[in-house]
Amino acid sequence: MLRRTFQLIPGVGPWKEKDLWARGIQTWDDFPGNGTVLGQKLDEAARRRLALAREALERRDLKGLAAMVPPREHWRLYPEFAHDAVYFDIETDGKQEQAPTVVALFDDAGLRVFIQGRNMDELPEAMAERRLWVTFNGSCFDVPVLRDYFGKRFPTPDAHIDLRFVCRRLGMGGGLKEIEDKLGLGRPPHMKGVNGWDAVLLWRAYLARGDVEALRFLVEYNLYDSFQLRSLMDKAYNRALDDLNLEAEPRVPVFERGEVLYDVSRLIMELGPTERDLRVLERVRAQDRELHQD
């Protein structure tokens, strides 16, 4: 799809791009090296731009390509750089100056979770390992929250695909869970109806009482928010090709979450209580003993 993208040429928008396709100029290599295609001045700029794009792709220069392709079309970068992608989601404490409580990452290396008070400080380095970020509403919420929290330590990706806006262009509005259900990506029964405010309440229960079961539920919820994005990205990409009537363009295989469910269970079970949690529990138990003695 990336090699079919002519919107990286200044002055070429969706309609001119479709006109080029209709005229048989399907890929960069089909653009004539001479003669008039778009107009004399525009043709010169187009040939220069396409040469730069070919060179950038050969170098695997995602940052350079992302700078040329309009942000609304960054979904087209996906198949070429899927192995560089990280899918992530955050939960916060719900306060006015929101701080991340749990952050789940999913990439080719598998699932990772970062928890406030445990290993959250390691998140910027983990995020910097991947050049392509995939989120749902992350450009409006997740990334600003993390950037405010970590400051200059927080990295900037070469490209960021926000699926909220990709899905909206494809006629799929609403929240992440609503879109998942429409696409047959629904969550297991115990996750149905759980929302962002529930995540805040679970975190507060964990902080107040050292409730590790509340933390485990929260982490499981957040993990689903991350790896479900992989399936959603695949389906959205394929649907975008359908929307453009590009029948000959290869579709990407849709990720099956069964591949990671064992890792979800393992990560959850590894979340034992910390020393702080044990102190909280002991304090709560002591308060309970005092209450019953009275």
Side-chain angles (χ1 to χ4, degrees):
M1 183 63 218
L2 181 57
R3 291 175 177 84
R4 293 180 182 269
T5 300
F6 293 101
Q7 291 187 51
L8 51 76
I9 300 169
V12 174
W15 297 110
K16 284 188 178 179
E17 180 180 63
K18 289 180 180 178
D19 180 61
L20 288 172
W21 294 341
R23 290 158 59 187
I25 303 173
Q26 295 287 322
T27 71
W28 299 341
D29 293 338
D30 297 328
F31 198 93
N34 50 55
T36 302
V37 182
L38 296 166
Q40 186 174 0
K41 289 185 179 180
L42 197 54
D43 284 346
E44 294 175 6
R47 293 182 180 109
R48 288 195 299 270
R49 192 75 160 181
L50 292 176
L52 289 173
R54 289 191 194 94
E55 293 171 5
L57 185 54
E58 288 175 5
R59 298 194 308 270
R60 311 298 298 166
D61 180 6
L62 174 57
K63 186 175 182 179
L65 288 164
M68 286 188 271
V69 176
R72 68 178 182 275
E73 305 297 341
H74 278 183
W75 63 270
R76 303 182 184 203
L77 299 164
Y78 175 61
E80 294 285 351
F81 296 95
H83 292 300
D84 287 310
V86 60
Y87 312 82
F88 70 95
D89 184 81
I90 76 171
E91 309 302 335
T92 69
D93 57 10
K95 297 179 181 178
Q96 185 171 359
E97 297 293 331
Q98 300 200 70
T101 56
V102 177
V103 180
L105 308 185
F106 178 55
D107 57 22
D108 276 2
L111 287 166
R112 285 178 286 178
V113 62
F114 299 83
I115 302 172
Q116 189 65 251
R118 296 192 180 205
N119 62 342
M120 186 64 74
D121 197 52
E122 300 171 13
L123 180 65
E125 287 70 30
M127 297 288 294
E129 295 172 5
R130 298 296 177 177
R131 300 189 292 160
L132 175 62
W133 292 0
V134 180
T135 65
F136 189 92
N137 201 39
S139 60
C140 299
F141 181 72
D142 304 62
V143 171
V145 168
L146 293 174
R147 197 170 300 285
D148 287 346
Y149 182 78
F150 288 105
K152 295 181 179 179
R153 286 189 58 213
F154 195 66
T156 298
D158 290 348
H160 179 181
I161 301 173
D162 190 331
L163 288 171
R164 174 189 171 192
F165 302 103
V166 176
C167 289
R168 180 184 292 177
R169 286 182 62 196
L170 296 171
M172 296 183 288
L176 176 58
K177 284 78 173 175
E178 180 182 349
I179 294 172
E180 288 175 354
D181 287 339
K182 289 178 181 177
L183 294 177
L185 300 172
R187 305 188 182 200
H190 70 287
M191 287 280 146
K192 292 288 186 181
V194 183
N195 56 42
W197 182 244
D198 292 325
V200 171
L201 297 178
L202 287 166
W203 177 254
R204 291 178 179 176
Y206 166 64
L207 283 187
R209 302 189 299 275
D211 188 340
V212 176
E213 288 306 310
L215 178 65
R216 285 174 174 158
F217 197 103
L218 171 59
V219 168
E220 183 180 13
Y221 170 75
N222 187 233
L223 287 169
Y224 267 87
D225 277 352
S226 64
F227 68 76
Q228 291 272 91
L229 291 175
R230 168 72 184 277
S231 301
L232 180 57
M233 179 73 249
D234 294 338
K235 282 183 172 282
Y237 177 82
N238 291 339
R239 183 167 289 202
L241 294 183
D242 294 341
D243 195 55
L244 292 172
N245 297 313
L246 295 175
E247 296 180 2
E249 187 68 22
R251 270 52 176 172
V252 298
V254 177
F255 174 74
E256 295 290 342
R257 68 188 183 195
E259 300 174 28
V260 299
L261 292 184
Y262 170 79
D263 293 327
V264 171
S265 299
R266 176 180 55 80
L267 285 170
I268 293 169
M269 295 311 298
E270 287 176 353
L271 290 174
T274 64
E275 289 186 11
R276 178 197 172 280
D277 299 334
L278 294 173
R279 289 196 299 270
V280 171
L281 285 169
E282 183 54 40
R283 185 169 65 250
V284 170
R285 288 167 180 160
Q287 291 170 348
D288 183 63
R289 287 193 297 269
E290 291 176 4
L291 180 63
H292 284 86
Q293 287 173 358
D294 292 343

